[in-house]
Amino acid sequence: MHGRSLQEKPLVSIVLPVYNGEKYLRESLDSILAQTMEDWELIAVDDCSKDATPQILADYAASDSRIRVIRNAENQRLPRSLNIGFAEARGEFLTWTSDDNAYAPEALHEMVSYLRRFPEHVMVNAAMEILYMPEGRLEKSEQFDADPWKMFVQNRIGACFLYRRKVLEEIGGYDPEMFLLEDYDYWLRIMIRYGRIAHIKKTLYRYRMHEGSLTARKLEERSERAVCFVHKYLPDITKRLRHHPELFRAYFMAGVQSEEWSEEEMALFRRYLPSLVEAAGL
């Protein structure tokens, strides 16, 4: 059993928000316990689970003092649960994971080593593999692209990442209004403030794609949130992509077809991306 006094700050804080995650939770927890770098704390935030999740978390916390459990009094959903967890985090480096995914044993060591080696970077992500259920097919994710501009039109970070504590201190927590897009929203805030997110090509994470991870209801709600998301970042996106109009064409045309753009937003397009506006006959 690991022990650490309250005065001793861990190197890495991991937040694990969970709601009714009994099916895969042990696998996720075991992958954290198996880390070759042992200087971490885990803050599990149970968002009012009704299954065996509370007992599973209690058992693991009882056997390892690096694990703490917070039980929300009422369901808060993911962004607020993340903020609740990170408010308790004491680490120099921060990350979060999910109850149905798992780290490779060297994941924390590799990411911490990278950020120590390159102090100019505030965040790094790593390649991951996707486990498709129920067939069990494994496939390496090719989400990340070296072109940082593409982050402004598509989330290319994935689920394996680590960032410095100063990110939390300088840009704050996750936006509760961006539920289902809370991670992408956060990465864009990092890009806008710091300019880039570094990448490790080594596969350090297994992301499980299953029926519960992307339900029809979630897809519909995510689509609705995406409209708000585009409006929120449109000034930043248009300014940064004025020399890369091809990357923004999909967003622009989708907004035109659904009549989403306001007059103020169309003025931004006319200013920064006039060729798109002309091509659309507007």
Side-chain angles (χ1 to χ4, degrees):
M1 179 167 176
H2 287 267
R4 179 191 288 119
S5 73
L6 291 176
Q7 287 72 39
E8 290 180 282
K9 293 185 178 181
L11 187 62
V12 176
S13 293
I14 308 164
V15 172
L16 173 57
V18 55
Y19 173 71
N20 291 346
E22 64 177 5
K23 188 171 184 179
Y24 303 113
L25 180 56
R26 289 183 180 85
E27 181 183 343
S28 178
L29 293 169
D30 287 342
S31 79
I32 296 170
L33 290 170
Q35 290 300 295
T36 58
M37 196 211 76
E38 299 182 342
D39 190 4
W40 51 261
E41 67 174 352
L42 172 64
I43 303 163
V45 182
D46 178 9
D47 202 16
C48 302
S49 296
K50 299 175 182 178
D51 61 0
T53 291
Q55 187 59 54
I56 294 170
L57 292 176
D59 291 344
Y60 275 78
S63 65
D64 196 311
S65 62
R66 295 173 296 177
I67 301 175
R68 288 184 283 152
V69 180
I70 298 171
R71 168 101 174 166
N72 291 338
E74 56 185 40
N75 187 266
Q76 299 289 334
R77 304 218 289 187
L78 182 56
R80 287 191 177 90
S81 290
L82 287 172
N83 291 339
I84 288 167
F86 283 118
E88 299 295 321
R90 299 172 297 147
E92 178 184 347
F93 301 100
L94 308 176
T95 189
W96 58 274
T97 188
S98 302
D99 57 89
D100 48 1
N101 301 326
Y103 287 108
E106 68 275 23
L108 294 184
H109 171 77
E110 292 280 355
M111 291 189 290
V112 167
S113 296
Y114 187 98
L115 289 178
R116 282 178 159 173
R117 195 161 65 249
F118 299 102
E120 68 273 20
H121 294 150
V122 300
M123 177 175 171
V124 65
N125 82 323
M128 64 180 189
E129 60 185 10
I130 300 176
L131 176 62
Y132 290 93
M133 303 295 289
E135 65 268 30
R137 176 171 56 89
L138 273 176
E139 182 179 295
K140 183 174 179 180
S141 172
E142 300 295 341
Q143 277 187 297
F144 185 82
D145 194 289
D147 183 354
W149 298 108
K150 291 186 178 179
M151 265 296 294
F152 286 95
V153 295
Q154 184 182 5
N155 186 357
R156 309 185 73 81
I157 295 303
C160 187
F161 50 83
L162 190 73
Y163 50 90
R164 300 184 190 277
R165 184 174 192 84
K166 79 170 190 174
V167 171
L168 174 64
E169 295 169 347
E170 292 179 357
I171 71 171
Y174 291 79
D175 186 350
E177 299 302 316
M178 289 291 111
F179 176 62
L180 295 176
L181 292 169
E182 58 281 310
D183 55 346
Y184 189 18
D185 174 74
Y186 207 70
W187 313 150
L188 277 190
R189 286 158 63 191
I190 290 173
M191 287 287 294
I192 289 167
R193 184 174 183 102
Y194 304 107
R196 69 165 297 183
I197 293 170
H199 178 64
I200 296 172
K201 293 182 178 180
K202 188 174 181 179
T203 301
L204 298 176
Y205 197 82
R206 176 174 290 180
Y207 181 92
R208 181 180 275 104
M209 182 70 75
H210 56 93
E211 184 179 348
S213 64
L214 215 59
T215 63
R217 182 194 61 79
K218 283 185 178 180
L219 285 172
E220 182 178 351
E221 187 170 358
R222 185 173 184 144
S223 178
E224 293 172 0
R225 299 279 174 175
V227 173
C228 300
F229 184 81
V230 172
H231 288 301
K232 178 179 179 179
Y233 286 105
L234 191 59
D236 284 299
I237 292 172
T238 51
K239 290 175 185 176
R240 284 164 171 78
L241 294 184
R242 61 185 181 272
H243 301 305
H244 303 266
E246 69 286 353
L247 294 179
F248 201 68
R249 182 175 179 80
Y251 268 152
F252 174 72
M253 293 310 297
V256 168
Q257 292 166 7
S258 59
E259 299 181 346
E260 290 290 342
W261 306 129
S262 66
E263 284 301 317
E264 182 181 3
E265 289 167 334
M266 284 301 298
L268 282 171
F269 283 116
R270 292 188 181 98
R271 178 178 178 184
Y272 293 109
L273 301 168
S275 61
L276 282 183
V277 178
E278 291 172 7
L282 299 171

